[in-house]
Amino acid sequence: MSNLGQFDSDFYQSNYTIDNQEESNDSTAYGNLYGSRKQQAGEQPQPAFVPPEMLMSSGYAGQVFQPGSNPDCYSQSPYIDSFDEEPPLLEELGINFDHIWQKTLTVLNPLKPADGSIMNETDLAGPVLFCVALGATLLLAGKVQFGYVYGMSAIGCLGIHTLLNLMSSSGVSCGCVASVLGYCLLPMVILSSGAIFFSLQGTVGTVLALVIIGWCSLSASKIFISALDMEGQQLLIAYPCALLYGLFALLTVF
């Protein structure tokens, strides 16, 4: 057993010596290889002539990948606007809830003086809403009259537009006429709403229809003379308006 232990110790000692020899051999070979390469690099011939431009270092004073910007160019461009300068979306669409409310109050109160600057605007949001409301209330009353409502509205707007251009010196646009006639349709919507709950084919319904016709025509003529400066001609304008709203009253009653 003592011989076996001695053999093991000799074995490991000899192994350690072999590893050290291999490492020393590797380092020696690496040194010889590095030295030979360095010697070959030193033995390479130098070029006979080198241009002076290549020996001089080129000094570039600019900034890499940073193009110069001219703020005056951007400030003078008409296509670049800030977000704060853009008008609101409702203003671009021509919808002003304040003016819609003022026009509605003017129609509901025939004795209130109308503001000509507001009434001269081409606002079709309120008129379209009131036309749809009139057709919806007639539908709830069992009368499908959407086509008649839209057809008579278009024909009536063209007729009143032609009449007002003949009577006034300044003239008026078709959109303004449609806006005023549409807003003044609000009392007729109230009448058609009453037709849902009770019948208008009687004395009470006839009286209510006449009152509503007078209400609509008075409001429309008041707005037209205020917007077009046609003082003293309200009755002349109220008569054709009464004929137009009388057709809507016939649809509502019968």
Side-chain angles (χ1 to χ4, degrees):
M1 295 297 291
S2 61
N3 295 330
L4 182 60
Q6 184 179 1
F7 176 76
D8 293 339
S9 61
D10 295 339
F11 175 76
Y12 286 109
Q13 185 176 2
S14 61
N15 189 16
Y16 177 76
T17 304
I18 292 172
D19 292 340
N20 291 336
Q21 290 178 359
E22 290 179 356
E23 292 179 357
S24 61
N25 293 332
D26 293 340
S27 61
T28 304
Y30 178 76
N32 295 332
L33 179 61
Y34 178 75
S36 63
R37 288 184 179 179
K38 185 175 181 181
Q39 183 179 3
Q40 291 177 3
E43 293 177 357
Q44 289 182 358
Q46 297 294 332
F49 174 75
V50 178
E53 293 83 2
M54 297 179 62
L55 298 177
M56 296 177 61
S57 62
S58 60
Y60 178 68
Q63 296 180 355
V64 181
F65 298 112
Q66 294 183 3
S69 61
N70 188 5
D72 297 335
C73 178
Y74 294 99
S75 61
Q76 296 177 0
S77 178
Y79 300 101
I80 301 177
D81 297 328
S82 62
F83 182 77
D84 298 334
E85 296 178 357
E86 294 182 358
L89 179 60
L90 294 178
E91 185 178 348
E92 291 182 355
L93 296 177
I95 300 175
N96 192 333
F97 289 104
D98 187 20
H99 290 180
I100 292 175
W101 178 247
Q102 292 182 12
K103 291 179 182 180
T104 304
L105 293 179
T106 303
V107 172
L108 293 176
N109 187 6
L111 301 179
K112 179 183 178 180
D115 189 0
S117 61
I118 297 178
M119 296 303 170
N120 203 15
E121 296 178 353
T122 305
D123 177 22
L124 298 179
V128 171
L129 178 62
F130 293 151
C131 285
V132 173
L134 179 60
T137 52
L138 290 176
L139 181 62
L140 293 176
K143 303 173 184 178
V144 184
Q145 306 290 353
F146 283 99
Y148 288 102
V149 171
Y150 297 145
M152 288 190 302
S153 299
I155 296 174
C157 289
L158 293 177
I160 300 297
H161 173 257
T162 303
L163 181 64
L164 291 177
N165 283 328
L166 293 175
M167 295 177 62
S168 64
S169 58
S170 59
V172 63
S173 63
C174 188
C176 180
V177 174
S179 177
V180 173
L181 293 178
Y183 274 105
C184 294
L185 200 62
L186 179 58
M188 197 63 60
V189 176
I190 299 175
L191 180 64
S192 62
S193 300
I196 300 174
F197 304 101
F198 53 88
S199 178
L200 298 177
Q201 297 181 3
T203 305
V204 178
T206 303
V207 172
L208 287 177
L210 292 176
V211 171
I212 293 298
I213 292 172
W215 188 357
C216 295
S217 59
L218 182 61
S219 299
S221 60
K222 175 190 65 175
I223 295 173
F224 280 132
I225 65 172
S226 176
L228 300 177
D229 296 331
M230 299 173 62
E231 297 294 336
Q233 304 182 20
Q234 184 173 0
L235 293 178
L236 296 177
I237 300 175
Y239 176 70
C241 293
L243 295 179
L244 175 62
Y245 291 115
L247 297 177
F248 291 106
L250 291 175
L251 289 178
T252 304
V253 173
F254 301 101

